[in-house]
Amino acid sequence: MNPPKIRNMEEFAAISGISRPTLSKYFNNPDSVRKTTRQRIEAALEQHDYRPNVYAMNQNRQTTRNVGVIVPNLADPFFNEIGRAVEVACLEAGYSPILLSSHGKPELEAENLVSLRSLKPAGVLLAPFGRASDRKTIEKVSKEVPTVLFDANISETGAAFVGTDNFQSVGLIVEYLCRSGEPPCLFEMEIPSNPNALTRRQAYLQSMEHHGFAAHILQAKGMGWDFEEIGQSEGGALIRDGAFPTNTILCSNDRLAIGMLSAAYKLGRKVGHGATCDIRIAGHDDHPFSRFTCPSLTTIAQDYAAIAERAATALFRIIDTGKSPSEREETLFEGKLVLRDSA
């Protein structure tokens, strides 16, 4: 006959002979009890096959060892990769990450933040949508819970930010494209989904002026998360109609560029270097798929690992000290030019 299932910590305390306060102390931090007591508790846990309700325990604490990590869309391999790096940084620091996706919906980002707040997390790491984000919700949560933004910056919220120096990175690839062939036109979304796109536009304009070339910006209408489809359909139409004044296209992100490469193939335009090629295409981000396109995509690599580690470190410092820095911290990492066959 199977023994009755233990439903809560009170029943476990009664059957194990270990006091409820001692058990709470152990579950909060096993090293906080004496070695002999810890061994008794662990033996009882094994014997009675009991595991506490961590959610219920957390509800009784002021804060937990949980860290919320919210990204715009885990279906996007870029955010999957950077989300994974942030998750690993949390685990290595002894925190339990709760990784949430907003599935490309800004309203879900706000819902995720509110839901996380009810779980009493130690802190939140947020890669916001930016322009479409509910800034009041982000600002409210960041005042109540230590919060660090990464990837996309919203300076008005007051939360610390860690990301890529887009002026440096775009300047780097514009300089290369101007030096190695015809100066680049910029292809972007008319309504950017991410504030990085606006910064990259400004960086492109600044860099083109610096090199003494006229800037040409062509835009895909509308907004959304289907960048490859937009790059293929609208970017392809621009290529077909001869809308680009030069034979070099710098896309605001790699996903647009991947769609452009597909469009060029369908139109019979050869992408790459040299006199036999019709067009050069480059991107930004070093998307996980960019090395596997045909031809492989010239781009800017962001330092995922460094961004993740610094964002997590900044958050843990705020958590440990119990207060935010007197001035808003912004940490920017330089991008790295990755030369491949497309440009």
Side-chain angles (χ1 to χ4, degrees):
M1 187 174 180
N2 293 329
K5 182 175 179 62
I6 298 172
R7 294 171 298 180
N8 52 50
M9 204 178 299
E10 284 73 19
E11 291 184 2
F12 180 64
I15 200 168
S16 66
I18 302 167
S19 71
R20 176 71 166 75
T22 300
L23 289 173
S24 294
K25 192 176 180 183
Y26 168 83
F27 288 126
N28 189 50
N29 179 10
D31 294 330
S32 65
V33 300
R34 289 181 296 180
K35 182 179 179 180
T36 54
T37 303
R38 185 166 68 248
Q39 290 172 341
R40 281 182 60 209
I41 294 172
E42 290 170 354
L45 287 170
E46 187 69 26
Q47 179 183 351
H48 300 289
D49 191 26
Y50 172 69
R51 294 295 179 270
N53 185 328
V54 176
Y55 177 81
M57 289 170 59
N58 286 341
Q59 288 299 96
N60 293 324
R61 297 176 183 168
Q62 188 172 3
T63 60
T64 67
R65 294 291 290 181
N66 297 330
V67 167
V69 182
I70 303 177
V71 298
N73 201 333
L74 275 175
D76 184 330
F78 171 81
F79 286 111
N80 193 302
E81 182 70 17
I82 199 166
R84 182 195 63 78
V86 170
E87 190 177 26
V88 169
C90 290
L91 289 169
E92 290 178 347
Y95 287 88
S96 299
I98 302 172
L99 184 58
L100 300 174
S101 170
S102 300
H103 301 293
K105 300 176 181 179
E107 63 274 16
L108 186 54
E109 176 181 272
E111 291 178 20
N112 282 336
L113 282 166
V114 173
S115 297
L116 273 177
R117 193 176 65 186
S118 69
L119 296 177
K120 302 178 182 178
V124 172
L125 290 163
L126 170 65
F129 283 93
R131 174 184 169 277
S133 291
D134 184 338
R135 302 188 181 208
K136 289 185 178 179
T137 298
I138 295 175
E139 185 175 8
K140 183 177 180 180
V141 170
S142 65
K143 287 180 179 178
E144 299 177 6
V145 181
T147 302
V148 173
L149 308 182
F150 65 99
D151 181 58
N153 195 3
I154 306 179
S155 57
E156 310 94 278
T157 63
F161 171 72
V162 181
T164 295
D165 184 345
N166 286 298
F167 275 92
Q168 176 273 336
S169 61
V170 171
L172 188 64
I173 197 164
V174 167
E175 188 279 331
Y176 163 72
L177 293 172
C178 289
R179 172 169 47 86
S180 58
E182 293 186 16
C185 306
L186 179 68
F187 178 62
E188 62 171 13
M189 301 286 290
E190 182 180 46
I191 305 175
S193 300
N194 185 296
N196 284 326
L198 297 174
T199 308
R200 291 172 189 174
R201 179 194 303 167
Q202 295 168 3
Y204 166 78
L205 291 170
Q206 178 178 293
S207 187
M208 292 295 283
E209 182 180 5
H210 172 76
H211 292 292
F213 293 107
H216 302 284
I217 299 176
L218 289 90
Q219 297 177 323
K221 294 182 179 180
M223 61 182 295
W225 213 260
D226 298 323
F227 297 113
E228 292 88 356
E229 174 62 31
I230 293 167
Q232 182 185 69
S233 59
E234 299 204 30
L238 292 171
I239 294 175
R240 183 196 63 221
D241 296 340
F244 292 99
T246 76
N247 72 350
T248 304
I249 304 170
L250 172 60
C251 296
S252 184
N253 63 59
D254 280 356
R255 292 184 60 190
L256 282 174
I258 289 170
M260 264 286 192
L261 289 173
S262 175
Y265 175 78
K266 286 186 174 183
L267 291 167
R269 309 294 175 85
K270 186 175 181 181
V271 179
H273 303 276
T276 62
C277 295
D278 304 304
I279 191 171
R280 295 193 301 163
I281 296 174
H284 192 293
D285 293 338
D286 199 21
H287 186 284
F289 295 165
S290 62
R291 70 190 64 188
F292 302 115
T293 58
C294 187
S296 54
L297 184 64
T298 289
T299 185
I300 288 288
Q302 300 192 62
D303 194 339
Y304 302 124
I307 291 172
E309 191 278 332
R310 184 63 62 84
T313 299
L315 179 65
F316 303 150
R317 185 170 64 252
I318 296 171
I319 294 170
D320 292 341
T321 59
K323 59 181 180 180
S324 298
S326 56
E327 295 185 6
R328 185 178 191 268
E329 288 186 4
E330 287 194 13
T331 305
L332 301 178
F333 288 92
E334 292 189 349
K336 179 182 177 181
L337 180 64
V338 180
L339 299 179
R340 299 195 180 106
D341 296 333
S342 70

